[in-house]
Each structure stands twice: as C-alpha cells, then as structure tokens.
Amino acid sequence: MPKAKETTLELDLVALEHNYNYIRTKLHPSTMFLAVVKAFAYGSDSVIIAKKLEKLGVDYLAVAYAREGMVLREAGIKTPILVLHAQPSNYSMIIKYCLEPSIYSPRVLREFLKASKVEKQKAYPVHLKFNTGLNRLGFWENDIDYIADMLTNREELKIKSIFSHLAASEDKSEETFSNHQINSFKKIAREFNSKLRINPFMHILNTSGIFNYPEAQFQMVRSGIGLYGYGNEAKYDAELLPVATLKTVISQIHTIEPDESVGYNRAFKAEGHKKTATLPLGHADGIGRQYGNGKASVLVNGVEAPIIGNVCMDMIMIDISDIECNEGDEVIVFGKGHSAETFAAGANTISYEVLTGISQRVKRVIIGA
Ligand SMILES: *Cc1c(COP(=O)(O)O)cnc(C)c1O
C-alpha cells in the first residue's frame, strides 16, 4: 500500500467483497440481500460502494433519505432502492427517481397515495414498516384495518414488502425481547396477509440480527455495518475486514518541556519532557472533541499514541514521547490494524458514529477496484 501523504480515507473494495461473501455464508441461498448505503455508505462513498455492491449482485440497496437515493440514480445505479425514512416533502422526487419509500404511518400513507395519484402511478412499489418495539417509526398492528380500508379499490400502490427493525439485535441479554419482536412481526404478517389478501416479502434483520437470529431471515435481510467490516462483537469483527481506513501524516514534531501546555485552553499540561506530533485532521474532519484529552489513540509506526489536549477544528496533537517517528510519517487513525470499534470505545461511542462522522473534506482513495 502506498503511504499516505495527507489525510485520506482509504476504501478497500476487496474488503467489501470479503464481508459481503462472509455475511452471505450466514444466509439461505434464496434469502435476498439488501445492502444499506445510507449516510455516504457509512461515511465512505455511497456511489463507489453501491456500484461495487451492484456488481456483487445485491438485490436491494437502502438509504435513509430521498436525496441520497437520487444521488445513486444520477450515478447510474439500477438496483431497487428502499428509502428508509422517506418524507412526504420528497415524494415527487422519490417517484421521479424510481425510489421505493418506506411507509410507516396512516398520515404518510395518505400522503403517498395523494402523490402517486398526482403523478398518475399504477402499482408503485412501497414497503410498509411496522413497529414491534423499537418505538421509532412504524405502523402498529391495529393500523392494519385502516391500511386495508385505504388500499381497497386503489391501484396506485403495490406493497412489495412489510418489515420491522430489532431494537437490540447485538445484545444477548435482550434475547427474550428480540424473540418477542420477531413473533409480533410474524403475527402482524399473518393478519396483514389475510386482511389484504396479498403476500409481500418480509424482513427484520440487520447485521447483528443476521448473526444472532438467523432463523428470522424471512425473504430478505438488511446489512450495513457488517459490510463495512464491523460486527458489534469480537467474534464477528475477527471475520470481517474494515473497508475504511483513515490515514494521515505527521505535520510537525514538538519537544515539550515540563509544565508547558499543548493546544487550546492549555488542556494538556506536560508533567515531564514530552514529544508531540501535530496531525492535519480535526473535528471538522469528523474526529470530534470527545476523542481528545487521552480518550482515543492513533497508530504511529505500529504503536498507539493518545490524542492529547483539545481536538482543534483542523488539527490534533498526539503524544509520541516513546515512539520512533519522523515528520511526514504515516499515521493510522482507525481502520486496518486499529479498529474503529476500539477507537470509538475510548470516547464511549460506537463504530457507526466514528465511521459516519468522517466529513466530505477528507479525500477518498479507492483500493482493490
Ligand atoms: C441502518 C439500518 C439498518 C442497518 O443496520 P446495521 O446494524 O448497520 O446492519 C437496517 N435496517 C434499518 C431500518 C436501518 O435503519
């Protein structure tokens, strides 16, 4: 791998393919695969990742918002795209770009019926989301009669799937609750199918759901974080490969005398002689202030170096007192060899947050294309 000469987010498409193939080994051959590419494909690059996933043969893509789907269509992506949090103000955009909305309440169902009528649609594909305990978005079981009434003798919509989302799929101590959600979902599906006399496909599992509740695959699963190399559990992290590696370089090395301070508000005070390095990335690049003051570490020539003092907008300082290194040397912030999960854990957060937080200012470099 060529060494980084500036801050870059390296995206490894071979790792993506490996993760996809690994997750597929947990599925029945007939289970459809929806790849979640919301939030710039978890902070990486949605177009490049979606194109690769399309080549790998995923059945569906999902984004959170309509605009994210529009970007993929404009880049030539042909795979069906589910919009998880479609909003009425974007329904004409959704129809224009052939995106498939999640419909999650009586209000948005009425709004989408209106929009599809205005746009003269017939059998427009939609997906109905049911709430089984996450209490975030979704119809309730007792909305089924209303849905059935609304859709009788209407031909604008075709319900392609019904789905739900687990609240704690990664958490073994919540197994009883997760199984309860799965059973509620089955009950909803039975009632829904008998009242509407249709048989849409079903899905409820995210990445950790695939690993922990494989019996609940139904006809499709929805994986995000696993594709990007993290499995919410050491056992799965060991099988997956990080797609994104955030690299930077040492801009300058400083020798700090005892009692001198480093950075804004003098947050780091040297107790003895110290050597520090300044790196060209900061909170504007997605490394928030919560990672400062010793909470997270980066990797310099294979050795962990804590971030010291307050994170600045465009820079961080690290303690390299015991590390052999020079100005211009490459530094791994997280990724290969230094898990984003570990980096995140130091600041009490999760891989999802650190990955999706990497800002658009950081240059993306694709490897393994
Ligand atoms: C983000 C999201 C997913 C993907 O979850 P991972 O844990 O990243 O696999 C699946 N389903 C829904 C509804 C989501 O919002």
Side-chain angles (χ1 to χ4, degrees), residues 34 36 38 42 64 84 129 134 136 163-165 169 204-210 222-228 232 352:
L34 175 151
V36 182
K38 62 193 179 192
Y42 287 48
L84 293 165
K129 173 90 177 274
L134 179 59
R136 195 171 69 172
F163 72 110
S164 190
H165 194 36
S169 61
I204 191 169
L205 300 181
N206 65 341
T207 300
S208 288
I210 294 167
R222 306 185 302 268
S223 180
I225 198 74
L227 287 171
Y228 304 102
N232 296 325
Y352 297 76

Side-chain angles (χ1 to χ4, degrees), residues 11 14 64 71 88 182 190 192 195 271 286 318 320 322 342 361:
L11 304 175
V14 174
V71 168
I182 291 164
R190 277 194 300 272
F192 185 87
K195 286 193 170 147
E271 283 177 1
I318 59 174
I320 50 159
D322 303 317
T342 315
R361 182 165 80 170

Side-chain angles (χ1 to χ4, degrees), residues 46-61:
S46 62
V47 168
I48 282 162
I49 298 292
K51 283 192 169 162
K52 177 70 182 182
L53 289 165
E54 189 165 67
K55 256 196 215 134
L56 290 172
V58 301
D59 302 280
Y60 256 89
L61 295 167

Side-chain angles (χ1 to χ4, degrees), residues 9-10 56 70 85 91 98 123 128 152 234-235 241 288 332 336:
L9 190 68
E10 193 181 272
L56 290 172
M70 176 184 79
H85 199 169
Y91 283 166
C98 296
L128 299 195
T152 307
K235 178 166 93 175
L241 299 171
I332 306 292
K336 279 192 202 121

Side-chain angles (χ1 to χ4, degrees), residues 174-364:
E174 293 290 2
E175 197 176 326
T176 307
F177 185 82
S178 298
N179 282 319
H180 181 75
Q181 282 195 272
I182 291 164
N183 289 328
S184 304
F185 182 48
K186 287 183 188 163
K187 182 161 171 279
I188 286 167
R190 277 194 300 272
E191 190 184 335
F192 185 87
N193 293 355
S194 81
K195 286 193 170 147
L196 283 94
R197 294 171 205 280
I198 53 175
N199 202 6
F201 67 87
M202 297 165 65
H203 43 113
I204 191 169
L205 300 181
N206 65 341
T207 300
S208 288
I210 294 167
F211 295 149
N212 296 329
Y213 302 92
E215 68 285 359
Q217 298 175 23
F218 301 107
Q219 289 76 38
M220 188 164 83
V221 296
R222 306 185 302 268
S223 180
I225 198 74
L227 287 171
Y228 304 102
Y230 297 93
N232 296 325
E233 203 183 318
K235 178 166 93 175
Y236 298 114
D237 285 346
E239 302 287 345
L240 298 164
L241 299 171
V243 168
T245 298
L246 182 60
K247 297 178 165 185
T248 189
V249 291
I250 295 177
S251 294
Q252 193 179 15
I253 290 176
H254 287 271
T255 308
I256 309 293
E257 302 295 324
D259 298 327
E260 278 194 306
S261 63
V262 177
Y264 284 135
N265 310 104
R266 310 192 61 205
F268 178 83
K269 296 244 169 72
E271 283 177 1
H273 292 274
K274 293 282 177 196
K275 197 169 64 158
T276 69
T278 302
L279 311 180
L281 83 171
H283 61 72
D285 302 286
I287 303 303
R289 283 169 58 99
Q290 71 266 34
Y291 300 103
N293 293 308
K295 292 295 196 319
S297 294
V298 300
L299 217 56
V300 180
N301 296 332
V303 186
E304 285 201 19
I307 300 171
I308 56 169
N310 287 325
V311 168
C312 315
M313 190 186 294
D314 314 307
M315 282 170 258
I316 55 178
M317 280 69 89
I318 59 174
D319 184 349
I320 50 159
S321 301
D322 303 317
I323 303 175
E324 288 273 343
C325 58
N326 295 300
E327 292 180 353
D329 281 1
E330 181 182 89
V331 175
I332 306 292
V333 183
F334 64 73
K336 279 192 202 121
H338 188 47
S339 158
E341 190 59 42
T342 315
F343 185 85
N348 251 318
T349 183
I350 54 176
S351 57
Y352 297 76
E353 186 182 8
V354 65
L355 292 173
T356 57
I358 299 311
S359 80
Q360 294 300 299
R361 182 165 80 170
V362 176
K363 178 177 164 187
R364 270 67 175 166

